[in-house]
């Protein structure tokens, strides 16, 4: 071996050694989670108490006055803590460490599992396991949240979040035994969390060969049972979308470990079968309904449509849609705050969100369909595969939308955030480039040369439509 060859191999050996050490560290972290479930349960109940305080107590207090501050008013502090910090960074955590939030801290998960442990344990009915719930529940919750101004008023937050929590407890009490039936099938954000976790560089992995080998061995050291609360089939666990990263199964049958992976792996080389609901949730949910929900309050189009309809109703002598509202738990209705949505406002709001979802989602669907056809004969699995490449830009948009409240509240308190616009632009462009890179990788599996470039261009066009939609909100309106 000459000196040049030795110098080339040394960095590779060092890198391999570092990766081996990282793998061992991750395995130990997974085992630590498995061995400290009692401490984790204590943490979970602590989060339940904090969640209850942030959701219930502000709803019992008067609304803050104009001179109130985050540090001097519990309602504003709770609003900032919950919507300004908690939720945006829960979403970010899904892309960094998978569904650790679900497995270790989610209050609804803790409560539904507790109720299931002490409940009736009935078989799970077919209506609960309907595959369309992740998309339908997300859309309904998002639209209803805007109708009642869930981010602004504690009473609305109590209805939306408290209602969801009570439903989780009820489902847990009725169905399953020590299971998170609500989380697996009905949670309105479970589908979103599952999509974002595809980008996480960490996951619990089942070594199928080790699993098979253990079955035929006489080793009894790892024969402990594992009751997987989110109902993940451990022997054939593929991907990380359904796994709650709780660590209970770490080391089970000497086959399951916490492991690293490329953030691109689950998108480029998916181990899960095509899922139409996931495609709908990406294209029409995260890229459509979510954008419309953040758009409408600042949109001149919303105002123009409402004024046009109002003039038409006045000319027709129909005044009640302009004069009547609904209870605050149906439509925003706070006269003392000069914040009341009439029936016309509510109808246009819902229509605007749905129109945004159909328009943007339809355009993206057409571009994905064109990309699919360019790459070869029409194929639904290929269409779904290309739709998955838009997860990075979808995730970034929702994070920026939620964090907009964080920015608004901090600016109201006099905090200078001159860097925010630049950060938003960088994040949007970086996530769009990530989606384009994923599309290039996916396109390369079935096409090459010009075809591959055209397929990637179609996905790039879809990503730029999304960037344009968020640009309207942040810089143009």
């Amino acid at each position: 071996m000459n000196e040049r060859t030795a110098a080339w191999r040394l960095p590779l050996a060092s890198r391999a050694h570092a990766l081996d050490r990282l793998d061992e560290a991750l395995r130990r972290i997974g085992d630590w989670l498995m061995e400290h479930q009692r401490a984790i349960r204590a943490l979970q109940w602590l989060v339940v108490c904090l969640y209850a305080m942030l959701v219930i107590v502000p709803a019992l207090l008067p609304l803050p006055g104009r001179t109130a501050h985050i540090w001097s008013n519990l309602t504003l502090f709770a609003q900032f803590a919950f919507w300004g910090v908690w939720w945006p960074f829960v979403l970010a955590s899904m892309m960094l460490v998978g569904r650790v939030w679900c497995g270790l801290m989610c209050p609804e998960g803790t409560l539904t599992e507790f109720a299931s442990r002490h409940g009736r344990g009935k078989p799970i009915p077919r209506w609960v396991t309907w595959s369309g719930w992740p998309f339908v529940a997300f859309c309904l919750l998002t639209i209803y949240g805007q109708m009642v101004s869930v981010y602004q008023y504690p009473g609305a937050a109590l209805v939306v979040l408290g209602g969801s929590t009570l439903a989780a407890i009820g489902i847990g009490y009725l169905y399953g035994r020590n299971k998170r039936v609500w989380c697996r099938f009905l949670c309105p954000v479970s589908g979103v969390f599952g999509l974002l976790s595809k980008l996480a560089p960490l996951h619990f992995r089942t070594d199928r060969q080790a699993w098979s080998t253990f079955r035929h061995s006489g080793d009894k050291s790892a024969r402990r049972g594992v009751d997987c609360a989110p109902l993940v089939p451990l022997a054939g666990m593929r991907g990380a979308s359904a796994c709650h990263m709780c660590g209970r199964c770490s080391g089970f049958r000497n086959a399951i470990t916490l492991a690293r992976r490329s953030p691109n792996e689950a998108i480029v080389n998916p181990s899960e079968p095509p899922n139409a609901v996931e495609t709908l949730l990406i294209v029409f949910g995260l890229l459509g309904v979510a954008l419309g929900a953040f758009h409408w309050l600042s949109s001149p189009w919303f105002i123009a449509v409402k004024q046009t309809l109002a003039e038409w109703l006045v000319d027709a002598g129909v005044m009640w849609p302009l004069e009547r509202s609904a209870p605050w738990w149906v439509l925003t209705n706070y006269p003392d705050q000069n914040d009341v949505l009439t029936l016309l406002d509510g109808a246009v709001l819902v229509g605007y969100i749905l129109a945004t979802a159909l328009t943007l989602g339809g355009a993206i669907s057409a571009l994905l369909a064109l990309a699919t056809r360019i790459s070869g004969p029409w194929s639904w699995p290929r269409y779904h595969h290309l739709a998955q490449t838009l997860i990075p830009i979808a995730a970034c948009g929702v994070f920026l939308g939620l964090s907009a409240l964080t920015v608004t509240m901090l600016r109201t308190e006099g905090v200078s955030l001159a860097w925010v616009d630049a950060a938003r632009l960088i994040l949007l462009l970086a996530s769009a480039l990530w989606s384009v890179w994923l599309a290039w990788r996916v396109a390369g599996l079935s096409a090459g040369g010009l075809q591959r470039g055209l397929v990637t261009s179609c996905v790039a066009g879809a990503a730029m439509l999304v960037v344009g939609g968020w640009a309207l909100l942040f810089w143009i309106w």
Side-chain angles (χ1 to χ4, degrees):
M1 182 186 303
N2 58 41
E3 293 183 2
R4 180 175 297 181
T5 303
W8 175 72
R9 289 187 177 181
L10 184 59
L12 291 180
S14 299
R15 181 174 181 270
H17 180 64
L19 291 178
D20 288 341
R21 292 181 63 182
L22 176 59
D23 291 339
E24 177 62 18
L26 291 176
R27 183 192 66 78
R28 290 182 179 181
I29 291 172
D31 290 346
W32 187 92
L33 292 174
M34 182 271 295
E35 295 164 358
H36 292 80
Q37 287 297 308
R38 181 173 295 181
I40 290 172
R41 283 193 292 273
L43 172 64
Q44 290 172 332
W45 286 107
L46 179 64
V47 174
V48 167
C49 294
L50 178 61
Y51 171 79
M53 183 190 75
L54 292 178
V55 173
I56 297 174
V57 175
L60 304 177
L61 301 175
L63 292 175
R66 294 184 178 181
T67 60
H69 297 280
I70 292 173
W71 59 84
S72 62
N73 183 275
L74 180 59
T75 299
L76 284 181
F77 173 79
Q79 182 185 14
F80 178 74
F82 198 84
W83 299 114
V85 178
W86 192 325
W87 268 109
F89 290 97
V90 164
L91 286 179
S93 75
M94 298 296 158
M95 296 177 280
L96 297 174
V97 291
R99 299 182 66 169
V100 168
W101 163 260
C102 298
L104 303 186
M105 288 176 281
C106 178
E108 285 194 356
T110 300
L111 291 170
T112 195
E113 186 177 353
F114 177 80
S116 177
R117 185 177 303 121
H118 301 283
R120 301 181 63 181
K122 297 171 66 175
I124 303 173
R126 295 184 64 180
W127 69 267
V128 170
T129 61
W130 179 53
S131 62
W133 283 124
F135 174 70
V136 172
F138 171 78
C139 294
L140 290 178
L141 186 72
T142 301
I143 294 173
Y144 178 64
Q146 294 302 307
M147 291 170 61
V148 297
S149 299
V150 68
Y151 302 136
Q152 285 76 38
Y153 295 104
L158 178 61
V159 170
V160 173
L161 300 174
S164 176
T165 301
L166 289 177
I169 294 172
I171 292 294
Y173 177 78
L174 290 174
Y175 306 117
R177 179 66 68 185
N178 298 319
K179 296 291 186 287
R180 296 189 173 195
V181 176
W182 169 265
C183 304
R184 178 60 187 270
F185 299 110
L186 297 173
C187 174
V189 291
S190 181
V192 175
F193 289 170
L195 288 174
L196 302 192
S197 67
K198 292 177 184 286
L199 304 176
L202 300 177
H203 70 136
F204 277 95
R205 178 183 63 197
T206 299
D207 185 329
R208 297 188 182 184
Q209 183 176 356
W211 183 285
S212 178
T213 300
F214 180 85
R215 289 183 60 187
H216 298 93
S217 72
D219 183 7
K220 297 182 180 180
S221 62
R223 288 190 180 276
R224 61 180 176 83
V226 174
D227 187 10
C228 181
L231 300 159
V232 178
L234 300 180
M237 185 163 55
R238 299 186 293 177
S241 295
C243 174
H244 283 195
M245 303 287 285
C246 63
R248 299 178 195 180
C249 63
S250 183
F252 183 55
R253 296 197 171 188
N254 298 328
I256 302 178
T257 56
L258 180 62
R260 59 184 170 82
R261 64 176 182 179
S262 166
N264 303 323
E265 179 65 24
I267 306 298
V268 178
N269 299 304
S271 57
E272 299 168 319
N275 185 326
V277 175
E278 284 189 351
T279 303
L280 284 173
L281 189 54
I282 295 168
V283 176
F284 291 96
L286 293 175
L287 298 178
V289 169
L291 182 63
F294 290 114
H295 252 211
W296 72 272
L297 196 58
S298 302
S299 174
W301 302 333
F302 173 84
I303 296 173
V305 170
K306 187 177 72 171
Q307 289 179 340
T308 300
L309 289 176
E311 292 172 1
W312 181 81
L313 289 170
V314 170
D315 291 341
V318 180
M319 301 300 296
W320 60 267
L322 289 77
E323 298 172 344
R324 296 182 186 176
S325 184
W328 63 267
W329 45 269
V330 177
L331 276 177
T332 302
N333 192 348
Y334 299 91
D336 294 342
Q337 304 291 317
N338 293 318
D339 191 4
V340 177
L341 292 181
T342 65
L343 296 180
L344 176 62
D345 292 326
V348 177
L349 184 161
V350 174
Y352 183 91
I353 294 175
L354 293 178
T356 301
L358 291 173
T359 302
L360 187 58
I364 292 172
S365 295
L367 286 168
L368 292 175
L370 178 60
T372 303
R373 188 63 185 87
I374 290 172
S375 62
W378 172 259
S379 168
W380 157 247
R382 190 183 301 119
Y383 178 93
H384 169 79
H385 202 177
L386 289 170
Q388 298 269 305
T389 66
L390 294 172
I391 292 176
I393 185 65
C396 179
V398 175
F399 173 78
L400 291 179
L402 285 173
S403 63
L405 178 61
T406 314
V407 173
T408 299
M409 294 192 73
L410 288 176
R411 283 177 170 166
T412 301
E413 299 295 340
V415 179
S416 177
L417 298 170
W419 50 268
V420 164
D421 284 341
R424 284 169 171 167
L425 181 61
I426 291 171
L427 287 174
L428 277 174
L429 293 180
S431 61
L433 288 174
W434 188 0
S435 287
V436 172
W437 168 243
L438 289 172
W440 174 259
R441 295 277 305 278
V442 170
L445 299 176
S446 58
L450 180 60
Q451 276 184 305
R452 188 179 188 183
L454 291 174
V455 170
T456 305
S457 296
C458 289
V459 176
M464 293 314 297
L465 284 177
V466 179
V467 171
W470 289 107
L472 288 174
L473 177 63
F474 293 132
W475 298 294
I476 297 177
W477 292 339

